[in-house]
């Protein structure tokens, strides 16, 4: 497998088209902080499965369009070639491409909206990374979050679009806090907590995503499971919305936080695991608070809670057990932040 990977890398270095394809494949993997084209392929398979399973193949198509357009935009803007090849300018546009057809009705103009959003996401990535570089941080998926929020809020003012977030605008504290009845079939719920990272409601997608993580890092896969399980159980314990619980909507932000803090930035260990567990709880509480703030606007929190919570966890710079460079999951979005602008 390693020999095949080396040959693929050499082929990409010598052929611009293969290099572009390689960058596009790494983009989906970088959503979960992995730099591996095979992981990216499996992520695409997982998203395709979930999109078709839910009768929304256009969501997968949107993701692919966003990924290609965002990566091509970075190429046109002459960004750092190393960062481009690692998929660092593909993962946020990929998520934007998934979000637009998920939350807007299917019309021809939606695709133009998506393309413009993917281009904008790449530009926002450059801007935010320039800002966060000052603190030794990366923008993570915040370019996707900010761009998608703008696109959805703007869509309310256009007659040609209908926003399909299934959220009813209301002031904080109004309405029923819990809806539906929680299905105690926990394993699928935990897996859906992983799949919702990509806005997909499918336990099969979640399972494929865990395999995708295992391909590159068993610790990342383990902490992804930990994030989904702990956040879901905490939300259940505190009495969160039952229907949202069943769909895995309280696990996906914690999945990303757990991978970043527990498996990518620190060597896994007892103290790191405790810090990660706190980070999972923090992410859940930030998600609930952000949901309250965004309720009057009827837009989803997306991966905003992951970004906010992880920045807070990283800013104290408590490097419990830094991972040596030769052991770190090579060239993830975190390890290359210094070269991403």
């Amino acid at each position: 497998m390693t020999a095949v990977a080396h040959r693929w890398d050499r082929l990409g270095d010598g052929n611009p088209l293969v290099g572009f394809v390689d960058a596009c494949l790494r983009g989906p993997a970088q959503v979960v902080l992995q730099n591996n084209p095979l992981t990216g392929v499996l992520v695409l398979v997982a998203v395709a499965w979930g999109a078709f399973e839910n009768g929304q193949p256009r969501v997968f198509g949107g993701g692919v369009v966003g990924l290609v357009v965002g990566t091509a935009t970075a190429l046109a803007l002459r960004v750092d070639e190393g960062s481009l090849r690692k998929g660092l300018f593909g993962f946020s546009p990929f998520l934007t491409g998934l979000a637009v057809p998920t939350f807007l009705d299917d019309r021809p103009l939606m695709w133009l909206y998506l393309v413009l959003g993917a281009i904008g996401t790449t530009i926002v990535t450059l801007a935010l990374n320039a800002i966060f570089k000052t603190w030794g941080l990366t923008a993570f998926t915040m370019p996707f979050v900010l761009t998608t929020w703008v696109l959805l809020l703007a869509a309310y003012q256009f007659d040609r679009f209908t926003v399909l977030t299934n959220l009813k605008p209301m002031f904080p504290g109004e309405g029923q806090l819990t809806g539906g009845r929680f299905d105690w079939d926990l394993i699928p719920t935990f897996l859906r907590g992983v799949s919702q990272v990509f806005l997909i409601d499918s336990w099969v997608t979640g399972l494929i995503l865990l395999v995708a993580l295992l391909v590159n890092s068993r610790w990342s896969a383990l902490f992804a499971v930990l994030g989904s399980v702990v956040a879901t159980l905490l939300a259940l314990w505190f009495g969160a919305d039952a229907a949202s619980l069943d769909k895995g909507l309280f696990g996906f932000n914690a999945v990303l936080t757990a991978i970043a803090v527990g498996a990518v930035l620190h060597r896994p260990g007892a103290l790191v695991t405790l810090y990660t567990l706190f980070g999972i709880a923090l992410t859940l509480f930030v998600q609930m608070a952000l949901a309250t703030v965004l309720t009057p606007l009827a837009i989803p929190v997306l991966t905003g809670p992951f970004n906010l919570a992880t920045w807070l966890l990283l800013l104290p710079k408590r490097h419990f057990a830094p991972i040596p460079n030769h052991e770190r999951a090579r060239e993830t979005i975190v390890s290359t932040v210094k070269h991403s602008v």
Side-chain angles (χ1 to χ4, degrees):
M1 183 67 72
T2 302
V4 173
H6 286 322
R7 283 198 296 271
W8 172 257
D9 288 340
R10 287 197 298 270
L11 184 60
D13 291 337
N15 187 313
L17 179 58
V18 175
F20 182 79
V21 172
D22 179 60
C24 287
L25 291 179
R26 294 174 191 269
Q30 290 285 11
V31 174
V32 284
L33 292 91
Q34 310 300 306
N35 179 34
N36 188 317
L38 180 55
T39 295
V41 169
L42 290 172
V43 169
L44 290 174
V45 169
V47 171
W49 178 286
F52 279 88
E53 178 187 343
N54 290 311
Q56 294 183 309
R58 66 194 180 99
V59 171
F60 174 68
V64 172
V65 171
L67 174 63
V68 173
V69 170
T71 305
T73 300
L75 183 64
L77 293 175
R78 299 181 181 180
V79 301
D80 173 66
E81 184 176 354
S83 298
L84 178 69
R85 278 292 304 276
K86 293 158 191 166
L88 302 183
F89 292 96
F91 67 94
S92 275
F94 176 63
L95 291 173
T96 301
L98 295 176
V100 171
T102 296
F103 298 123
L104 295 182
D105 58 334
D106 190 9
R107 300 183 183 185
L109 274 179
M110 182 273 292
W111 294 97
L112 174 60
Y113 207 56
L114 189 157
V115 169
L116 294 174
I119 294 171
T121 304
T122 297
I123 295 172
V124 173
T125 298
L126 285 166
L128 290 185
N129 275 337
I131 294 172
F132 282 101
K133 186 178 180 181
T134 304
W135 297 283
L137 299 175
T138 181
F140 291 120
T141 61
M142 203 61 186
F144 145 67
V145 174
L146 291 179
T147 304
T148 302
W149 282 347
V150 169
L151 292 174
L152 294 180
L153 289 172
Y156 281 113
Q157 301 300 317
F158 297 132
D159 287 336
R160 300 295 177 87
F161 297 116
T162 301
V163 181
L164 307 173
T165 59
N166 295 322
L167 297 172
K168 183 180 179 181
M170 62 181 67
F171 288 106
E174 292 185 350
Q176 189 175 3
L177 291 178
T178 59
R181 184 176 181 180
F182 180 66
D183 183 352
W184 283 86
D185 197 3
L186 289 175
I187 300 302
T189 298
F190 297 149
L191 290 173
R192 284 191 285 269
V194 179
S195 72
Q196 289 286 2
V197 170
F198 296 91
L199 308 175
I200 298 292
D201 180 9
S202 168
W203 70 266
V204 176
T205 292
L207 183 60
I208 299 174
L209 289 172
L210 290 179
V211 173
L213 285 167
L214 278 170
V215 165
N216 196 58
S217 168
R218 67 182 185 275
W219 283 112
S220 292
L222 178 61
F223 275 93
V225 172
L226 184 68
S228 182
V229 170
V230 173
T232 300
L233 292 179
L234 271 178
L236 177 61
W237 189 14
F238 287 122
D241 178 72
S244 298
L245 271 167
D246 190 54
K247 294 178 181 178
L249 292 176
F250 296 118
F252 70 98
N253 273 289
V255 165
L256 292 174
T257 300
I259 293 172
V261 177
V264 173
L265 293 174
H266 304 101
R267 187 199 305 275
L271 187 56
V272 168
T273 300
L274 288 175
Y275 196 58
T276 303
L277 287 171
F278 171 77
I280 291 169
L282 175 64
T283 302
L284 176 63
F285 299 149
V286 171
Q287 179 171 340
M288 296 304 199
L290 194 57
T292 300
V293 171
L294 295 178
T295 292
L297 304 178
I299 59 173
V301 299
L302 303 174
T303 56
F306 149 65
N307 291 281
L308 295 175
T310 303
W311 289 333
L312 289 174
L313 292 166
L314 298 181
L315 281 172
K317 299 186 184 300
R318 299 298 91 188
H319 299 302
F320 303 113
I323 302 176
N325 288 334
H326 69 280
E327 294 181 11
R328 185 186 298 273
R330 293 191 297 276
E331 309 297 354
T332 65
I333 60 173
V334 176
S335 62
T336 57
V337 63
K338 293 183 179 180
H339 307 289
S340 63
V341 178

